[in-house]
Amino acid sequence: MAERIYLSLAHMSEAALEKKYMNEAVDTNWVAPLGPNVDAFEQQLQDFFGKPVAVLASGTAAVHLALIAAGVEPGDEVLTQSFTFCASAHPITYIGAHPIFIDSEPDTWNMDPQLLEEAILDRKKKKGRLPKAILPVYLYGMPPKMDEIMAIARKYGITVVEDAAEGFGSRIGGQIGGTIGEYGILSFNGNKMITTSGGGAIICPSAEARERALWYATQAREAYPYYQHEAIGYNYRMSNICAGIGRGQMTVARDHIAHHRHVAQLYKEAFGDVDGITFHDELPGMESNFWLSTILLDEKLKVKGEEQAYTKPIQGAVGGAAGVVRGGDAIHTDCEPNRNVEGLRLTLSAAGIESRPLWKPMHRQPIYQTSLKSVAYVNGVSESIFHRGLCLPSGPMVSDEHVDMIIRCIKDAI
Ligand SMILES: *Cc1c(COP(=O)(O)O)cnc(C)c1O
């Protein structure tokens, strides 16, 4: 097969506006982490989200600055979702604070509100003070149960940072993801809903909060003719070149979301009557952007190719454009997807189709579980889903014909 089908690839606007705005930046010598594209992109985001937005170098940087904005300091505890990409947790450690991992509920796969409240009460009892922030995640675009999470946050007076890096444009009732908590996080990495090649944003509660985030993103410089520093800052601003791409991408953001939802609908219909495969659907009243469509395989399901699963060490990164991974000869860990899941991944891969296991829960990652001995409040849900789940190709580069082929390949394999 000539063409590989990838999980989620960047897709430029038909009019190639990205190129126009990038070229403008070069032609006018606005090749800097500020300029007309940055201003225009921020304005588009502000119009989309209805709140002040600062664009940044990455979503990870946005998480870091949101935690600082929430007042997180060394030694503090932050309640984050265990079932997520590492960038929901790593920035907590940048501050010298401690992630407290909260497991998921089975409906949305996101932060379990009941466990969240149990954790808050238990931390209060053990530490004599409350955690500083709560960081729920829009996993694969699926909105978390924000109503319940916000009610708990208000009850205990804890700041909420929504990690909507995967949830650009997802909605709960009329509300758009990332605008419900005090702060919201977006990512414009190459594989996300819209891209700037690499980038992110922080959605802020006020113009002052936005200014302050940008001040931290600009090395926390005081107003003097020379460089005067009274706080530690970071170099986290977005380049005017990247913002040019973002400006073009915003013209197709709604089309991208509609396409991801369309692809999800095709998978949902196709797997609706297949024994042993469950499509992960949205709850009534919620609208996922279906950044990635995901399925669960029943552990008893036999899949062609599962004899090949875990027989050879992996070369390079599986999924994503990440070129650099540390090599090794190990094949197994003590927490890995079931054989049939890995078998299906290999079968799809041989047919030129990229798929990927779900995010491995943070409370099972050696860095947090073994090295940092992070506290986790678990119910087994995320681990069980991780063992059974697979992400399927979902972006605007995935056509109806591609989806047909992927579905056929999966049905043939089972
Ligand atoms: C992608 C992602 C981030 C971080 O975004 P980058 O732009 O890659 O730094 C944070 N949280 C989640 C859940 C993500 O998927």
Side-chain angles (χ1 to χ4, degrees):
M1 186 180 310
E3 181 194 22
R4 254 186 105 71
I5 306 171
Y6 291 96
L7 266 190
S8 181
L9 276 190
H11 184 269
M12 297 298 112
S13 64
E14 289 299 333
L17 288 170
E18 292 85 353
K19 200 149 81 182
K20 171 178 174 293
Y21 294 129
M22 270 200 315
N23 284 343
E24 269 177 27
V26 174
D27 292 342
T28 57
N29 212 26
W30 273 110
V31 182
L34 74 172
N37 284 335
V38 171
D39 296 343
F41 184 35
E42 279 185 342
Q43 189 57 55
Q44 288 168 311
L45 289 166
Q46 242 150 258
D47 293 344
F48 192 93
F49 289 95
K51 281 174 94 173
V53 178
V55 294
L56 300 167
S58 70
T60 309
V63 174
H64 189 184
L65 294 189
L67 293 169
I68 291 172
V72 177
E73 290 181 352
D76 282 341
E77 294 186 333
V78 175
L79 301 151
T80 190
Q81 186 166 317
S82 181
F83 200 14
T84 185
F85 179 61
C86 62
S88 312
H90 286 0
I92 299 167
T93 70
Y94 301 171
I95 299 179
H98 307 293
I100 305 289
F101 293 112
I102 310 294
D103 212 331
S104 296
E105 39 79 13
D107 301 334
T108 72
W109 299 2
N110 289 314
M111 186 179 273
D112 183 334
Q114 202 182 319
L115 262 188
L116 171 68
E117 185 158 24
E118 278 173 41
I120 291 172
L121 293 171
D122 194 49
R123 296 328 291 163
K124 179 92 200 317
K125 196 165 96 203
K126 294 206 166 98
K127 290 280 166 180
R129 61 192 178 123
L130 292 169
K132 268 287 170 60
I134 302 171
L135 206 143
V137 178
Y138 287 66
L139 203 70
Y140 305 118
M142 200 67 72
K145 292 184 173 169
M146 284 307 294
D147 291 352
E148 291 170 54
I149 292 169
M150 289 305 292
I152 293 165
R154 274 191 286 269
K155 183 166 163 193
Y156 298 97
I158 306 175
T159 304
V160 173
V161 175
E162 289 171 272
D163 184 345
E166 300 175 5
F168 186 106
S170 295
R171 287 172 179 276
I172 301 168
Q175 274 181 300
I176 188 155
T179 65
I180 301 165
E182 277 83 353
Y183 292 90
I185 299 305
L186 303 172
S187 166
F188 311 122
N189 198 33
N191 60 347
K192 294 279 162 76
M193 185 56 72
I194 62 163
T195 187
T196 58
S197 76
I202 178 169
I203 304 171
C204 299
S206 65
E208 297 73 46
R210 176 185 166 275
E211 278 291 307
R212 196 162 168 76
L214 278 175
W215 176 74
Y216 271 111
T218 318
Q219 305 289 24
R221 192 184 161 191
E222 306 295 334
Y224 292 92
Y226 42 89
Y227 277 77
Q228 172 83 3
H229 298 290
E230 296 171 15
I232 297 292
Y234 307 89
N235 182 6
Y236 276 174
R237 281 176 307 168
M238 178 179 282
S239 152
N240 192 53
I241 302 274
C242 296
I245 305 174
R247 236 181 126 174
Q249 287 277 287
M250 277 308 281
T251 66
V252 288
R254 285 189 168 82
D255 297 342
H256 281 195
I257 295 165
H259 189 85
H260 280 253
R261 286 182 59 79
H262 167 69
V263 168
Q265 188 61 29
L266 297 178
Y267 285 130
K268 179 182 163 178
E269 282 163 18
F271 296 127
D273 56 357
V274 176
D275 262 357
I277 297 187
T278 314
F279 175 79
H280 181 41
D281 204 0
E282 62 198 359
L283 292 185
M286 288 187 179
E287 207 174 285
S288 173
N289 67 11
F290 286 104
W291 171 57
L292 292 183
S293 280
T294 53
I295 52 171
L296 294 180
L297 303 195
D298 192 295
E299 57 197 328
K300 290 197 263 324
L301 189 74
K302 283 270 169 291
V303 171
K304 274 184 221 154
E306 70 177 69
E307 328 69 54
Q308 308 302 321
Y310 302 117
T311 53
K312 288 199 290 279
I314 296 292
Q315 304 299 321
V318 172
V324 185
V325 290
R326 199 153 65 165
D329 298 327
I331 293 177
H332 290 286
T333 69
D334 63 354
C335 174
E336 63 189 18
N338 293 335
R339 280 194 95 78
N340 59 1
V341 171
E342 177 60 5
L344 185 57
R345 187 189 73 76
L346 291 170
T347 300
L348 287 169
S349 181
I353 300 160
E354 183 190 33
S355 65
R356 186 172 61 193
L358 306 179
W359 304 128
K360 176 163 169 169
M362 289 301 127
H363 74 274
R364 296 305 318 269
Q365 297 287 358
I367 178 61
Y368 291 114
Q369 187 176 12
T370 319
S371 309
L372 296 174
K373 305 205 167 18
S374 301
V375 177
Y377 292 84
V378 297
N379 53 18
V381 169
S382 66
E383 211 178 321
S384 153
I385 294 171
F386 169 67
H387 289 147
R388 291 177 288 141
L390 200 64
C391 302
L392 299 177
S394 304
M397 301 294 269
V398 179
S399 67
D400 287 19
E401 292 71 40
H402 289 150
V403 177
D404 280 346
M405 200 166 82
I406 295 162
I407 290 165
R408 233 179 307 122
C409 190
I410 293 174
K411 287 186 173 172
D412 283 351
I414 63 173

